[in-house]
Amino acid sequence: MRQFTFASCALYFLTGLTAISIGSVLPELLTYYHVSYTIGGRLIFVGAMGFLTGVLLTSWLNRRFHPKPLLTTAALLIAFAQFSILLLPPFPLFMALYFLNSAGSAAIGIVVATMFIEVFIGRQAVAMSYLEVAFGLGAFTMPLLASFFIAHNIWRYLFVITAVLAVVLALVWTRISYSKKVVDQGEPLDASGSSDAQRPLTANMKWIVLGLFAMIVFLYGGLEGSLNNFMSSIFIHYLHQAAYYASISIGIFWGAMVIGRAATAVIIRKLTYNAYLLINIIGTIISLVLFIVLKNALMGYIFVGTLGLMMSGIYSITLVYANYSIPNSAHLVTPIISGLSGLGSAIFPALTGLAIDRAGITLTLWYIVSIAVAYLIFLLVISQIRGGKSLQMLMKVKFWHRSRPAFAARDNSFK
């Protein structure tokens, strides 16, 4: 299983690289093609639509084909797109290639996440944190490379790195094997999904809860997508930093993400999923507000770091929390959660690019804060439906000691 886990993390590292590649050099791309930030937002929208298309197609294929050929094909698709983007083709073709690249990344995310949910029973959050660390390392590495390439005016060659890595991983996955029956029971489990007694959910209520999870991950996708793709631009226009310094902000953000995701593997053994998400989304809101109010370059880099720490595990724990709340439905829940995250990454960044051009950078930043606040509101609704004691959890965080496997009691979902 070690080879399987390592190869899976390597694929997530690749998707981390590709997810940030365009955003890291977005100001240079817009200058090269002589287009506005509104058009840049549309580019991000096209990429996110590619991601959503990849989610929908892969969720269908994943039920009919073995994961290995799907992952190999997805890696080759990314390699083709990245090699082609290197040539800086006409902008409409560039957008089409970015669409294909995002579809390949979505396929990797869906297939690997579903495998992990099904293989690592009882410790999905711990296992998913490894994947998220790998993704974060890729997202952390890319802007640092971009800063170097931009400073030497060779930024277009950044795409060679991802293309070559994708080809290598496509070959690696022709030789990887795994089994859902071989699980190390000695590994530590997650904490229970809620520290409070949960109300039984009827079939209809499960669909409502799934819809609410889809809504919060839609909002989170928009939040992270806006920050990923416009962080450099925010530092350039709001804090007046040079382009190569501004791109470092993305590196700090993702460096903090990596640290936070590594810590999540330990924290989630003590904190419940709901408590973890409540604490981190509130920390995210506070970091964003202080970033806006203080408007200082040095403090800006510091709060980008705290922002990365707070946001580090939100997506993966939301995914695991949804699967925990609606057990035995990974092939349904995982694509829905991933798809809505991709849709949020499409719609909100497009609005962000438009807002920068029309409303200015300051109002745009408050708009980003409002996305995080909306996530908090819907999370509180989910918590109220499932346990009814969310507000008490904000006042006092309970640390759990495992007394029984978190997934001992299961039901047949959606019956």
Side-chain angles (χ1 to χ4, degrees):
M1 292 296 287
R2 286 188 177 182
Q3 287 185 341
F4 163 71
T5 303
F6 181 80
S8 299
C9 289
L11 282 174
Y12 258 60
F13 177 79
L14 171 65
T15 59
L17 289 174
T18 58
I20 308 301
S21 59
I22 297 298
S24 296
V25 296
L26 185 61
E28 285 66 32
L29 278 172
L30 299 184
T31 300
Y32 177 84
Y33 285 108
H34 305 289
V35 294
S36 67
Y37 278 103
T38 299
I39 302 300
R42 292 177 186 172
L43 172 64
I44 304 307
F45 179 84
V46 167
M49 285 294 99
F51 185 91
L52 182 58
T53 301
V55 167
L56 295 173
L57 181 61
T58 304
S59 63
W60 180 80
L61 293 173
N62 203 24
R63 294 173 178 267
R64 292 162 177 80
F65 298 96
H66 194 274
K68 285 174 61 176
L70 294 180
L71 293 174
T72 298
T73 302
L76 290 175
L77 184 63
I78 290 175
F80 169 76
Q82 293 286 305
F83 270 126
S84 301
I85 286 174
L86 166 67
L87 302 176
L88 295 178
F91 197 68
L93 180 56
F94 185 99
M95 296 178 79
L97 291 168
Y98 189 43
F99 180 95
L100 291 177
N101 178 86
S102 300
S105 296
I108 290 173
I110 288 294
V111 174
V112 174
T114 301
M115 287 192 298
F116 267 51
I117 291 293
E118 293 178 339
V119 169
F120 297 104
I121 301 298
R123 53 193 176 97
Q124 288 100 328
V126 173
M128 285 295 296
S129 70
Y130 300 150
L131 292 179
E132 291 294 290
V133 167
F135 182 95
L137 283 172
F140 169 71
T141 302
M142 179 54 72
L144 297 182
L145 292 172
S147 181
F148 174 83
F149 279 53
I150 291 170
H152 290 80
N153 199 30
I154 53 172
W155 55 270
R156 65 190 294 178
Y157 296 103
L158 194 63
F159 302 104
V160 173
I161 297 171
T162 47
V164 171
L165 179 59
V167 171
V168 171
L169 290 179
L171 295 174
V172 167
W173 267 93
T174 62
R175 305 177 63 86
I176 295 296
S177 62
Y178 77 100
S179 173
K180 297 180 183 179
K181 298 180 181 179
V182 180
V183 180
D184 186 357
Q185 299 296 337
E187 290 291 328
L189 302 181
D190 304 338
S192 176
S194 174
S195 62
D196 304 298
Q198 298 177 30
R199 298 170 182 169
L201 298 180
T202 64
N204 289 337
M205 188 60 70
K206 288 176 182 177
W207 283 107
I208 293 172
V209 170
L210 179 57
L212 289 169
F213 274 113
M215 177 58 70
I216 65 171
V217 85
F218 171 70
L219 292 165
Y220 178 76
L223 176 64
E224 186 178 302
S226 294
L227 292 173
N228 279 344
N229 293 289
F230 292 100
M231 184 75 77
S232 291
S233 303
I234 289 170
F235 268 76
I236 290 171
H237 296 291
Y238 191 69
L239 299 180
H240 310 294
Q241 298 293 291
Y244 49 88
Y245 286 129
S247 65
I248 294 175
S249 65
I250 307 177
I252 293 173
F253 177 72
W254 280 102
M257 278 273 202
V258 171
I259 295 171
R261 287 173 176 178
T264 298
V266 177
I267 295 171
I268 206 61
R269 298 168 190 168
K270 300 290 186 179
L271 275 181
T272 64
Y273 301 142
N274 196 53
Y276 177 92
L277 291 174
L278 285 169
I279 291 169
N280 281 270
I281 193 60
I282 291 172
T284 296
I285 294 169
I286 293 172
S287 298
L288 283 169
V289 170
L290 290 175
F291 178 91
I292 297 169
V293 172
L294 295 180
K295 197 177 181 179
N296 175 273
L298 176 60
M299 296 304 297
Y301 286 109
I302 292 173
F303 284 118
V304 162
T306 62
L307 192 61
L309 288 173
M310 291 296 102
M311 293 177 61
S312 58
I314 290 180
Y315 172 77
S316 62
I317 301 304
T318 301
L319 173 63
V320 172
Y321 190 19
N323 275 283
Y324 174 81
S325 299
I326 309 169
N328 305 318
S329 304
H331 280 273
L332 172 67
V333 175
T334 301
I336 289 176
I337 296 299
S338 299
L340 268 293
S341 175
L343 185 61
S345 296
I347 293 176
F348 286 100
L351 295 175
T352 300
L354 180 64
I356 291 174
D357 283 337
R358 300 290 179 85
I361 195 71
T362 302
L363 286 178
T364 300
L365 287 169
W366 286 112
Y367 146 76
I368 292 174
V369 171
S370 72
I371 300 173
V373 171
Y375 179 103
L376 174 60
I377 292 171
F378 281 105
L379 179 62
L380 289 171
V381 173
I382 291 172
S383 182
Q384 192 67 25
I385 290 174
R386 298 189 73 253
K389 297 183 181 180
S390 303
L391 296 179
Q392 293 181 22
M393 295 172 65
L394 291 177
M395 304 300 294
K396 180 179 180 181
V397 177
K398 296 182 180 179
F399 286 81
W400 272 51
H401 295 285
R402 174 165 51 90
S403 59
R404 61 182 177 85
F407 288 77
R410 288 177 171 246
D411 60 358
N412 293 320
S413 299
F414 299 112
K415 274 193 173 183

